[in-house]
Amino acid sequence: MVLDTHTHHTNRTNAIINASVSHFKPSEGNFYSVGIHPWHIGDIDSEKALKSIYSIAKDNAHIVAIGECGLDPFSNTPEHEQIVVFEKHIKLSEELRKPLIIHCVLRSNEILRLHRKHKPQQAWIIHGFRSNSNVLRPLLAQSGIYISIGEKFNEETVKSIPHDRLLIETDESTLSIEKIATNIAIIRGESTENLLKAVHQNLSKIFTL
């Protein structure tokens, strides 16, 4: 059963593994996302990489999501260039009918603007969410945006995420997804079993796994 929405650990078997398009070698039974991280835009030919993503994701059942991609002020690439590349990921997500996994650092207002602009049919997943409730509320006000929580999180914010918008992930953490789920469940005041049931239901709605 897949429970981990986003991981960089290639040996995880219950996860959607974030893969580099230049080194994509799927293993039977695993699921992947492929995209251009905003930190890496300046290091590659993004147009060529996007064409490769389309080519390998179009008819590949192993690839279930596009991303991670997004916006980050700490990237060496100017923000206007990041936005151009991000919007091309949005187009890929919609054309290929695969959800979008988003890296968002201090740019939630811009993510919301682009969500309203493009009106996507595919789910958008804000991965590794650590911000406060003031950032969370506008995201939840937009239909189709899900919040993925990892090892580190804002405790008050985690309490505020409704079951039907909550996902969990390991990202780069060495903790198991079950341990992360337990840590989140304790803060939310519910059982791990109940939390995992909600996560599984959300994943079943978003993905074809």
Side-chain angles (χ1 to χ4, degrees), residues 7 16 27 31 33 36 48 57 75 88 114 120 135 146-149 167 171 184 187-189 195 202 209:
T7 190
I16 296 171
S27 296
F31 299 105
S33 65
I36 306 171
K48 182 178 179 181
S75 168
K88 291 179 178 179
L114 292 168
V135 176
Y146 292 79
I147 308 299
S148 184
I149 303 296
L167 298 170
D171 196 13
I184 295 169
I187 296 301
R188 286 171 62 92
L195 185 142
N202 291 336
L209 301 173

Side-chain angles (χ1 to χ4, degrees), residues 85-100:
V85 173
F86 180 57
E87 289 193 285
K88 291 179 178 179
H89 281 86
I90 297 171
K91 182 178 178 181
L92 280 177
S93 167
E94 292 297 297
E95 185 171 346
L96 297 174
R97 300 177 63 83
K98 298 177 189 286
L100 197 63

Side-chain angles (χ1 to χ4, degrees), residues 109-122:
N109 287 339
E110 187 64 16
I111 294 296
L112 284 166
R113 182 188 73 80
L114 292 168
H115 193 273
R116 289 190 289 265
K117 173 184 175 181
H118 291 277
K119 300 179 176 60
Q121 298 300 304
Q122 298 302 305

